[in-house]
């Protein structure tokens, strides 16, 4: 049994039923895409923050070790004879270098 073709009014009626459904589906898909994008952004941001924190920590540790080494070089070998007038309290780093001044 073949169905008869729809007339113009029936086509319009069917289209009017379909449009809200299609719009709703599109809105739901857009929400899903946004949620997924937000989740990915949060994950990527957390990874980048962690990487940068590790890089900063490594850089700080390197400078700290360098400063400790430089300080040890300034500490006198015997308590009674300070080396070049240096004392443990006179150690400082130059502002724009990793070199220590005793």
């Amino acid at each position: 049994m073949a169905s008869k073709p729809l007339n113009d009014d029936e086509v319009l009626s069917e289209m009017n039923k379909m449009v809200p459904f299609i719009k709703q589906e599109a809105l739901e898909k857009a929400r899903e895409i946004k949620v997924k994008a937000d989740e990915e952004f949060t994950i990527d941001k957390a990874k980048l923050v962690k990487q940068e924190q590790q890089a900063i920590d490594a850089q700080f540790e390197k400078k700290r070790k360098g400063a400790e080494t430089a300080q040890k070089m300034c500490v006198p070998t015997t308590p009674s004879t300070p080396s070049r007038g240096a004392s443990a309290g006179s150690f400082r780093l130059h502002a724009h270098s990793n070199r220590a001044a005793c």
Side-chain angles (χ1 to χ4, degrees):
M1 177 168 151
S3 62
K4 66 176 185 138
L6 300 175
N7 66 33
D8 289 345
D9 290 336
E10 292 170 329
V11 169
L12 186 60
S13 173
E14 289 299 312
M15 283 179 53
N16 286 336
K17 291 177 188 175
M18 292 169 51
V19 168
F21 173 77
I22 293 169
K23 283 183 180 180
Q24 183 61 35
E25 290 293 315
L27 289 172
E28 288 176 15
K29 186 66 175 178
R31 273 190 228 109
E32 289 172 11
I33 291 169
K34 181 171 179 2
V35 166
K36 184 170 173 63
D38 289 345
E39 288 172 354
E40 289 176 4
F41 172 78
T42 300
I43 290 168
D44 289 344
K45 183 175 84 169
K47 285 179 186 177
L48 288 172
V49 167
K50 184 176 181 179
Q51 287 173 351
E52 290 303 313
Q53 285 175 333
Q54 289 172 339
I56 290 168
D57 289 345
Q59 186 179 32
F60 175 80
E61 187 63 22
K62 182 179 176 183
K63 287 184 178 185
R64 187 187 63 77
K65 285 181 180 180
E68 282 179 357
T69 302
Q71 186 176 18
K72 287 177 185 176
M73 294 169 71
C74 290
V75 175
T77 54
T78 61
S80 62
T81 58
S83 172
R84 295 188 319 218
S87 67
S90 67
F91 173 78
R92 68 184 186 285
L93 286 177
H94 286 286
H96 297 289
S97 73
N98 290 333
R99 295 182 321 185
C102 298

